[in-house]
Amino acid sequence: MRNSLYKKSIISINDLKRNELELVLNKSAVLKKKSQPNLLTNKIIASCFFEASTRTRLSFETAIYRLGASIVGFSDGNNISLKKKGETLSDTIAVISSYVDAIIIRHPQEGSARLAVEFSNNVPVFNAGDGANQHPTQTLLDLFTIQETQNRLTNLNIAMVGDLKYGRTVHSLTQALAKFKNNKFFFISPDTLIMPNYINDMLDKKNIYWKRYKNIEEVISEIDILYMTRIQKERLDSTEYTNEKSKFVLHTTTLKNARNNLKILHPLPRIDEIDRDVDYTPYAWYFKQAANGIYARQAILSLVLIKQHL
Amino acid sequence: MQINKLQVEAIKSGTVIDHIPANIGFKLLSLFRFTETEKRITIGLNLPSKKLEKKDIIKIENTFLSDDQINQLAIYAPHATVNYINEYNLVGKVFPTLPKKINRILICPNSNCVSNHNFITSSFIFKKDKFHNINLKCQYCEKEFSKNIVLSYQ
Ligand SMILES: [Zn+2]
């Protein structure tokens, strides 16, 4: 397959075509089977975390080390001299891009990764989360995990539960899965936290099935993937939170009628939306999902930085 | 074709933007930076109009707008006509059509959008929703807003 990702910046999952997603997933599988520590020797990658995000950073940095590349960077934008001296994001990126082969950026403002690309002088930029907007490598690892557990990315019934309004992972994952045929979406959330219109409109335009449901029990016997997310307390008023919460919490009893192939995913951190007992069922897959982040990130880094792949 | 009948001073050569909705003319002047020029500009506000009841009009001497500029007018003044004048005669008439993209003149309503925090210009693309309403999608934060929300956010 031609590597159309070579030298491309990875900013939004929407920028990737279906065959490019497949390319990343195939590469992730190869790297999971066989580590290739020499793929990126001699490459230097900047890890620029303008806001702290320890797990994402460690996952990216582990991926980089596993490919044999080196890292420069910072892990908390508040403590860097750039910020104290008042330098703009664009100037910072322009300077760093002259040092390195790729830039990973995490920044609290939406659109910051897209802005970084404009000033990076063709050095590829990887978005590791820009505010509430995009976090494409999270979606890649979600897709990889779904494919790995179901052996396909088509003809799937996917339930998404929790904060569907602000949860960027469910938005991106829906957008990505909508590129594959015959997937159905089951949305389960409090009334105040439903999927935004632009996602529903996109599904309608493509004639893709989606429907809102009130609780997990209603759909559990039909679904292949149960994607749980956290509801932040401050998103609901306190009575609503106490009343509604139970419908969106997963217990082992909820799983009584589950399909054998069901896998439960969660972008983590989990608070109390998945009961600890669920961890011991064969359906729980969230920790393996997090582990897959290393392979998905190795895959995307190596595809962007090396033209030819065997 | 004479355009002397217009109620503001005729120009010898240049551009007349006519049929601007009343109260928008002044805004266009600043948004499109028409005033950042040495050229002579005449503006008429609240003139009588058959089409709009009241309209604004802008005349800029010895200046011709780019297609891009003309089309960007469409977002504020969808019924505007852009007239080209030479030797007091109307030599061309253009109707703005919504462009695919609009740069610089709008502000993203998302206060956490990077375009509001850096010395960069905004960039929106036009999209139609399923009810054929016009929406604007910010190229940076990827958020989509109805046209009216963006326009009222200046
Ligand atoms: Zn924006």
Side-chain angles (χ1 to χ4, degrees):
Chain A
M1 210 186 302
R2 199 177 65 86
N3 178 11
S4 59
L5 292 170
Y6 180 57
K7 289 202 165 168
K8 208 168 172 175
S9 285
I10 308 300
I11 304 305
S12 168
I13 203 74
N14 301 313
D15 299 342
L16 297 175
K17 298 186 192 78
R18 195 185 66 202
N19 64 335
E20 291 172 331
L21 295 174
E22 286 166 345
L23 186 63
V24 179
L25 302 179
N26 293 343
K27 190 74 195 172
S28 305
V30 170
L31 287 164
K32 184 166 182 172
K33 274 202 207 102
K34 185 171 179 272
S35 178
Q36 292 172 274
N38 299 323
L39 269 181
L40 294 186
T41 35
N42 304 324
K43 300 281 185 198
I44 301 175
I45 298 171
S47 166
C48 303
F49 277 63
F50 290 88
E51 79 178 347
S53 174
T54 309
R55 256 160 332 137
T56 301
R57 182 173 59 84
L58 294 183
S59 175
F60 260 114
E61 295 188 357
T62 306
I64 291 167
Y65 285 125
R66 289 184 69 110
L67 293 164
S70 313
I71 302 173
V72 294
F74 48 90
S75 60
D76 178 0
N78 288 322
N79 284 319
I80 53 171
S81 62
L82 303 164
K83 169 122 181 198
K84 290 181 176 155
K85 291 172 185 167
E87 190 176 56
T88 59
L89 176 59
S90 43
D91 285 2
T92 304
I93 295 297
V95 172
I96 292 173
S97 69
S98 66
Y99 300 163
V100 296
D101 301 293
I103 297 172
I104 295 162
I105 177 176
R106 167 86 170 208
H107 194 282
Q109 285 162 2
E110 285 113 53
S112 47
R114 185 88 62 198
L115 173 68
V117 175
E118 290 174 23
F119 295 89
S120 73
N121 299 307
N122 295 322
V123 170
V125 174
F126 294 84
N127 186 2
D130 59 334
N133 185 30
Q134 284 277 334
H135 192 8
T137 56
Q138 172 73 44
T139 309
L140 291 171
L141 79 90
D142 290 345
L143 287 176
F144 177 56
T145 308
I146 294 172
Q147 173 156 63
E148 191 181 42
T149 61
Q150 310 293 329
N151 291 315
R152 63 181 197 278
L153 285 172
T154 54
N155 296 303
L156 292 167
N157 292 350
I158 304 115
M160 297 187 176
V161 183
D163 179 357
L164 305 186
K165 184 174 180 187
Y166 300 101
R168 67 178 170 194
T169 54
V170 289
H171 304 160
S172 302
L173 182 58
T174 307
Q175 288 169 323
L177 284 169
K179 295 179 201 268
F180 295 86
K181 281 202 177 101
N182 295 327
N183 291 320
K184 291 184 177 173
F185 296 90
F186 304 69
F187 297 141
I188 304 160
S189 70
D191 287 342
T192 44
L193 296 174
I194 58 172
M195 204 50 123
N197 278 334
Y198 80 94
I199 296 282
N200 298 338
D201 289 351
M202 176 275 295
L203 294 173
D204 285 342
K205 261 189 201 159
K206 294 181 154 187
N207 257 321
I208 295 171
Y209 176 96
W210 68 272
K211 200 173 163 191
R212 285 186 60 201
Y213 294 88
K214 288 204 159 47
N215 54 58
I216 304 168
E217 274 92 347
E218 272 188 280
V219 302
I220 192 72
S221 63
E222 293 178 64
I223 56 173
D224 307 301
I225 292 291
L226 180 55
Y227 198 99
M228 300 290 298
T229 66
R230 183 162 51 99
I231 297 178
Q232 287 162 281
K233 241 185 191 154
E234 60 272 24
R235 301 281 189 214
L236 300 174
D237 68 51
S238 59
T239 45
E240 191 182 21
Y241 186 71
T242 340
N243 287 340
E244 293 266 311
K245 204 182 76 168
S246 61
K247 298 180 198 164
F248 311 105
V249 172
L250 188 62
H251 303 281
T252 49
T253 48
T254 323
L255 294 163
K256 210 170 52 195
N257 297 317
R259 291 179 171 183
N260 288 333
N261 65 315
L262 175 78
K263 291 291 177 272
I264 303 159
L265 307 184
H266 190 302
L268 302 180
R270 150 188 60 179
I271 306 299
D272 53 5
E273 59 279 5
I274 302 177
D275 196 291
R276 259 58 188 175
D277 290 345
V278 175
D279 297 1
Y280 305 102
T281 69
Y283 311 113
W285 216 260
Y286 22 92
F287 295 117
K288 290 181 176 134
Q289 175 193 5
N292 276 339
I294 306 288
Y295 309 112
R297 291 185 173 109
Q298 275 185 269
I300 194 77
L301 284 164
S302 61
L303 285 164
V304 167
L305 288 168
I306 309 167
K307 191 173 184 182
Q308 303 285 0
H309 283 259
L310 295 172
Chain B
M1 271 186 284
Q2 292 288 313
I3 69 154
N4 291 335
K5 62 186 177 210
L6 294 174
Q7 298 196 355
V8 265
E9 187 196 6
I11 56 173
K12 186 177 177 209
S13 163
T15 304
V16 177
I17 309 169
D18 198 2
H19 300 115
I20 302 166
N23 304 318
I24 296 289
F26 218 73
K27 196 172 206 164
L28 293 187
L29 274 186
S30 61
L31 280 178
F32 291 89
R33 307 188 187 196
F34 291 142
T35 49
E36 289 175 12
T37 164
E38 301 286 291
K39 305 274 160 43
R40 191 152 73 179
I41 296 174
T42 319
I43 177 164
L45 302 175
N46 296 318
L47 305 180
S49 159
K50 276 181 202 151
K51 244 200 234 170
L52 303 168
E53 268 179 45
K54 271 184 181 175
K55 68 175 183 186
D56 292 352
I57 196 167
I58 297 171
K59 301 184 175 198
I60 312 166
E61 277 205 347
N62 298 319
T63 295
F64 297 92
L65 304 181
S66 68
D67 288 350
D68 214 38
Q69 275 178 308
I70 292 169
N71 289 337
Q72 297 207 341
L73 287 173
I75 185 168
Y76 284 96
H79 305 294
T81 45
V82 177
N83 303 285
Y84 289 127
I85 310 299
N86 191 21
E87 293 298 324
Y88 297 104
N89 284 320
L90 180 64
V91 292
K93 204 183 220 345
V94 187
F95 301 94
T97 50
L98 270 188
K100 284 200 176 70
K101 206 171 163 183
I102 189 158
N103 291 330
R104 193 175 72 178
I105 61 171
L106 301 171
I107 294 172
C108 181
N110 173 5
S111 61
N112 198 37
C113 177
V114 74
S115 67
N116 289 324
H117 295 269
N118 281 270
F119 304 102
I120 54 164
T121 59
S122 69
S123 179
F124 288 88
I125 52 167
F126 285 90
K127 291 196 128 190
K128 268 190 190 151
D129 69 11
K130 60 179 172 183
F131 306 109
H132 300 283
N133 296 315
I134 293 166
N135 289 341
L136 288 158
K137 184 178 179 187
C138 173
Q139 296 274 69
Y140 287 99
C141 70
E142 304 187 30
K143 301 261 176 310
E144 210 172 305
F145 305 94
S146 85
K147 178 185 142 190
N148 293 338
I149 287 179
V150 183
L151 294 193
S152 62
Y153 200 76
Q154 296 302 317

